[in-house]
Amino acid sequence: QVQLEESGGGSVQAGGSLRLSCTVSTYKHHMATCIGWFRQAPGKEREGVAAKYSQGGSRYYGASVKDRVTISEDAAKRTMYLQMNDLRPEDTGVYYCAADHGRVCSAVAGLAAPTTIDAGAWGRGTQVTVSS
C-alpha cells in the first residue's frame, strides 16, 4: 500500500495560481510508478487532472485543464508537483493524489474510470477554492 502526503491547497482568486505537492513513500520503487492528480467538486464525479510515470516517464493531462496545468517531478524528494495557472471558480474542489503501477495514468488519459483505482492508492486530498 502506498502512502501519500498532499499539500499546497488553499484559496485563491480567479486568474491566480497554486502548486500542489504529493510526496510518495513506502512504494515498490523497482516497478514503474504512475503518480497523478484527480479532483472532485461537490456533487460531481472525480476526474483526472494530470499524471506522470516517475523518473522521466510520460505525462497525461485531463481534457478540461490541459492548457493550464503542468505536472513535474523531483525524484530526489519523491514528490510530484501540479502547477495550476489561470484558475477558475469551476476548478474548486478537493484535489487527490494517487499512485499505482499504471491505472492512475490510464484514468487520467480517459482509458479507465477513477473508480477502478484501488482504494489504498489515494491520498486524503487537499481543498482548492477559487473565488470570482
Side-chain angles (χ1 to χ4, degrees):
Q1 185 170 347
V2 66
Q3 290 187 350
L4 305 168
E5 183 175 353
E6 300 133 320
S7 61
S11 297
V12 64
Q13 290 189 331
S17 299
L18 282 174
R19 189 177 78 159
L20 307 182
S21 301
C22 174
T23 300
V24 183
S25 60
T26 64
Y27 210 62
K28 301 174 182 176
H29 294 290
H30 64 281
M31 297 178 66
T33 302
C34 176
I35 304 169
W37 288 94
F38 296 77
R39 67 183 183 185
Q40 189 163 20
K44 294 188 176 181
E45 294 183 350
R46 195 168 296 188
E47 66 170 338
V49 177
K52 179 183 178 298
Y53 278 101
S54 61
Q55 300 180 3
S58 301
R59 292 174 171 82
Y60 305 87
Y61 291 100
S64 63
V65 298
K66 62 180 180 179
D67 295 330
R68 299 185 290 118
V69 304
T70 302
I71 190 168
S72 61
E73 176 185 19
D74 185 332
K77 296 182 179 179
R78 299 181 180 176
T79 299
M80 195 71 75
Y81 301 101
L82 181 69
Q83 177 69 41
M84 302 188 293
N85 300 321
D86 188 26
L87 285 163
R88 305 166 183 172
E90 54 264 38
D91 294 318
T92 294
V94 180
Y95 283 68
Y96 297 91
C97 182
D100 66 14
H101 297 304
R103 186 60 61 94
V104 168
C105 281
S106 294
V108 172
L111 301 176
T115 52
T116 63
I117 296 170
D118 188 87
W122 297 93
R124 295 184 177 182
T126 183
Q127 177 70 42
V128 170
T129 302
V130 184
S131 58
S132 57

